[in-house]
Amino acid sequence: MAVKKCEIVLVGGGHSHVEVLRQFGEQAVEGVALTVVARDVHTPYSGMVPGYLAGHYSHADCHVDLSPLARLAGARLVHVAAEGLDTQKRHLRCSDGSIVTYDLLSIDIGSTPPASNIEGAREHAIPVKPIDQLLSEIEALEKRYLRQSGPFRVLVLGAGAGGVELALALDHRLRQVAAGGGLKVTIVDGAADILPSHVGAVRRRMRRALAERGIDLELATRATGFEAGVLHRADGADLAFDAAFLVTGAQAAGWLGESGLSVDKDGFVEVEETMRSVSHPDIFASGDVAAMKGHALPKAGVYAVRQGPVLAQNLRRAALGQALIPFQPQRHILALISTGDCYAIASRGRFAVAGRWVWRLKDWIDRRWMARYEVG
Ligand SMILES: Cc1cc2nc3c(=O)[nH]c(=O)nc-3n(C[C@H](O)[C@H](O)[C@H](O)COP(=O)(O)OP(=O)(O)OC[C@H]3O[C@@H](n4cnc5c(N)ncnc54)[C@H](O)[C@@H]3O)c2cc1C
C-alpha cells in the first residue's frame, strides 16, 4: 500500500540509523521522503573504536560513510548538527540556523559523559565522546608524549568497559610509538571494583590483564574536581596528570528535554518497546539516546545495533499507518572486551572466556558488521 506523502527525518547517523538507511535502500516506500541530519558524515562503529585507538584499524575500517548509504536509500543528507526541536510545528532546528520539517522524526544521536558534576572537568579533561573529537585529542596527545622526557601520566576516569578498554588501548598505542617513555596509565573510579555490570570471573581476568600491563587502579576514589594537571580527590591524595579522560557514564543532549519530549532523569528520550516516544507519537528514538520503558538497558552499541531492524520496520509501518512491532531485548548480551594487544575477554551472564581467539572472533564479527554498510 502506498502512502500519500510522508517526510521521515533521521537525526544522527548512529548504529540504528545506518540499518534504517540500508533497509530503505533495499526496499523504498512509495511516497516517503527520507532526510538524514548528521553532525558527522563518517560515523564511528563503537565495537572497533578501541581497536582503532590501539592502532589495529584505520579510520576507514571503523567508520561508516553515510554519503553512499544515503544515496542508496534515496535520502537527502544534511551535514549539520541538530540543536533544537519544536514539536508543535514539527521543526528540527540546526546549528547553521536552518530548519528541517518532518512528519516522522527518529533520533539516534548517542550520548556523552556527564562532565558537569565534576568541577573543572569541562576545561581540563577530555570526554570520550564525541569519538571524532577524542580521536584528534589522542593524536595531539601522542605528539606531546613523544616530545616529553620523563614521566607521562594518563588518567582515565571511569572503570566500566569503555574506561578499561580506553586505558588498555591508549597504553598499547603509546608504547608502540615509544617503548618505556615513563608512561603510566591509571584508572580512577568511585566504585570498589572495575566492570560493575560483569561477573567476578570477567573482573578477575581483566584485573590480571591490567596488572600485567602495569596499569594502576585507584578505586573507591571520589574525584572532587580538576585543575590544570591535577585531579582532586575527596581523601586529599590528589593525582597529577599529563592527560585525563572522562568515561563516566552517559547523559543526553539538553535540547531533547527542553523541547517538551518526555525524558528520564538523565535526559534520555522515554520510548515504548516500539521505540516510539511515550509523549509524542510522531517521534522515535533508538540507541543510547533512548530510555525504553520497563527495561533498564545499558548504554551499549550492541542495543543500538539490535534496535536498528525494528526501528526500520516501525518507521515504515508508521508511515503506512500500520501497527508497530516491539523490540525484545535479550536478557544477557555477549560483550567482547578487548585489551589493546589483540586479546579479548568474552562475557555473557555468568560465562567468561578469554584469549587471542576471542579477539579474532570479535574482529570477524566487527568487520562483518561494517561490511553490511559498505556501498560499493
Ligand atoms: C571507548 C568506548 C568503547 C566502547 N566499546 C563498546 C563495545 O565494544 N561494544 C558496545 O556495544 N558498546 C561500546 N561502547 C558504547 C557505544 O559507544 C555506544 O553505546 C554506542 O555508540 C551507541 O550507539 P548510538 O547509535 O546510540 O550512538 P552513536 O554511535 O554515538 O552515534 C550517534 C551519531 O549521531 C551523531 N550526532 C550526535 N549528535 C548529533 C546532533 N546533535 N545532530 C546530528 N547528529 C548528531 C554523531 O555524529 C554520531 O554519528 C563503547 C563506548 C566507549 C566510550
Side-chain angles (χ1 to χ4, degrees):
M1 185 179 42
V3 280
K4 227 166 163 213
K5 185 177 176 297
C6 180
E7 294 272 351
I8 301 182
V9 174
L10 309 178
V11 195
H15 297 59
S16 305
H17 278 174
V18 293
E19 177 63 15
V20 172
L21 288 172
R22 196 189 69 80
Q23 291 206 11
F24 273 75
E26 272 188 350
Q27 197 191 351
V29 183
E30 204 191 318
V32 167
L34 208 53
T35 298
V36 195
V37 175
R39 189 192 60 205
D40 303 299
V41 170
H42 292 93
T43 188
Y45 170 47
S46 59
M48 291 170 91
V49 166
Y52 175 52
L53 298 181
H56 305 307
Y57 299 122
S58 69
H59 188 273
D61 285 338
C62 61
H63 284 77
V64 176
D65 184 351
L66 293 179
S67 303
L69 207 51
R71 257 197 316 276
L72 176 80
R76 180 169 70 107
L77 176 60
V78 184
H79 183 192
V80 68
E83 61 175 29
L85 184 60
D86 183 332
T87 58
Q88 296 286 314
K89 294 184 179 152
R90 292 183 166 165
H91 281 178
L92 181 75
R93 282 196 305 278
C94 300
S95 55
D96 63 354
S98 64
I99 282 176
V100 177
T101 56
Y102 63 87
D103 296 307
L104 291 174
L105 185 76
S106 178
I107 306 167
D108 178 18
I109 59 171
S111 59
T112 53
S116 51
N117 56 2
I118 306 172
E119 214 185 308
R122 222 169 270 285
E123 297 80 23
H124 303 296
I126 303 162
V128 75
K129 293 215 172 169
I131 294 280
D132 274 356
Q133 190 182 312
L134 172 76
L135 300 178
S136 44
E137 292 280 2
I138 286 178
E139 275 157 25
L141 171 82
E142 194 174 290
K143 291 193 184 115
R144 266 203 294 141
Y145 172 63
L146 280 172
R147 278 200 307 268
Q148 186 152 325
S149 56
F152 193 81
R153 298 143 304 183
V154 177
L155 294 188
V156 175
L157 209 58
V164 167
E165 274 195 309
L166 176 68
L168 285 155
L170 278 175
D171 183 80
H172 182 79
R173 180 190 183 112
L174 295 178
R175 286 188 196 286
Q176 295 301 303
V177 295
L183 177 66
K184 174 51 85 184
V185 178
T186 304
I187 301 173
V188 180
D189 202 300
D193 206 348
I194 60 168
L195 304 178
S197 57
H198 297 268
V199 294
V202 175
R203 291 205 290 267
R204 276 193 300 281
R205 282 176 193 271
M206 186 52 88
R207 275 173 165 278
R208 206 180 310 138
L210 292 167
E212 279 167 13
R213 299 272 292 280
I215 295 178
D216 282 350
L217 289 173
E218 292 282 350
L219 299 173
T221 297
R222 197 162 65 79
T224 54
F226 281 95
E227 272 183 87
V230 182
L231 173 67
H232 296 297
R233 300 165 39 149
D235 61 7
D238 296 347
L239 290 168
F241 64 82
D242 296 284
F245 292 87
L246 284 183
V247 201
T248 47
Q251 76 175 13
W255 57 266
L256 297 167
E258 287 158 17
S259 71
L261 267 177
S262 179
V263 296
D264 73 3
K265 66 172 181 31
D266 297 311
F268 295 109
V269 181
E270 290 185 306
V271 295
E272 308 279 0
E273 285 181 340
T274 56
M275 275 124 69
R276 180 177 246 173
S277 153
V278 299
S279 57
H280 292 73
D282 51 352
I283 297 181
F284 290 74
S286 184
D288 275 13
V289 81
M292 190 171 282
K293 244 174 64 178
H295 302 278
L297 300 181
K299 301 297 179 198
V302 62
Y303 286 108
V305 165
R306 294 262 166 87
Q307 287 169 345
V310 178
L311 179 68
Q313 279 226 42
N314 280 346
L315 289 173
R316 185 184 294 272
R317 283 166 176 264
L320 294 169
Q322 296 171 348
L324 306 186
I325 56 167
F327 171 74
Q328 277 150 353
Q330 278 180 303
R331 211 156 80 83
H332 296 299
I333 54 166
L334 174 67
L336 299 168
I337 311 166
S338 56
T339 60
D341 51 355
C342 299
Y343 186 93
I345 300 169
S347 165
R348 185 165 195 266
R350 309 208 60 75
F351 163 85
V353 286
R356 297 209 171 272
W357 69 270
V358 181
W359 160 263
R360 285 196 295 274
L361 173 68
K362 176 173 167 51
D363 176 63
W364 178 77
I365 293 172
D366 288 341
R367 285 184 190 274
R368 201 176 53 149
W369 189 87
M370 281 297 299
R372 280 169 72 80
Y373 305 105
E374 269 160 27
V375 181

